[in-house]
Amino acid sequence: MAEDMVGRSGRVTGTVGPGTVGEVMIAVRGGAEAFLAHPALAGERFEVGSVVTVVEYMPPRTVYVAAAYG
């Protein structure tokens, strides 16, 4: 699954930013699941509703994300 996660898009459901652990919903296994999320680049911040792309996956439930339309 690790290879499949990188490049997927998700929607932020809990603010992702420096010093916080955010949450992103990502479509996997025929549904949508919540993952803990951190910004891929220091200082980036994504508000609830933002669309992001997974750039790194740390099993079982953590992703590092960047702006999807960046």
Side-chain angles (χ1 to χ4, degrees), residues 7 26 28 47 69:
I26 300 171
V28 293
E47 300 298 331
Y69 310 109

Side-chain angles (χ1 to χ4, degrees), residues 44-70:
E44 282 190 314
R45 183 177 183 89
F46 303 103
E47 300 298 331
V48 172
S50 301
V51 178
V52 293
T53 299
V54 175
V55 297
E56 187 173 352
Y57 172 61
M58 305 291 284
R61 309 290 305 170
T62 302
V63 292
Y64 286 79
V65 298
Y69 310 109

Side-chain angles (χ1 to χ4, degrees), residues 2-52:
E3 301 82 29
D4 295 343
M5 290 297 293
V6 174
R8 287 184 183 255
S9 294
R11 186 164 303 273
V12 175
T13 53
T15 301
V16 178
T20 67
V21 178
E23 182 183 77
V24 176
M25 293 297 289
I26 300 171
V28 293
R29 295 185 276 260
E33 298 182 15
F35 290 82
L36 301 177
H38 299 275
L41 297 176
E44 282 190 314
R45 183 177 183 89
F46 303 103
E47 300 298 331
V48 172
S50 301
V51 178
V52 293

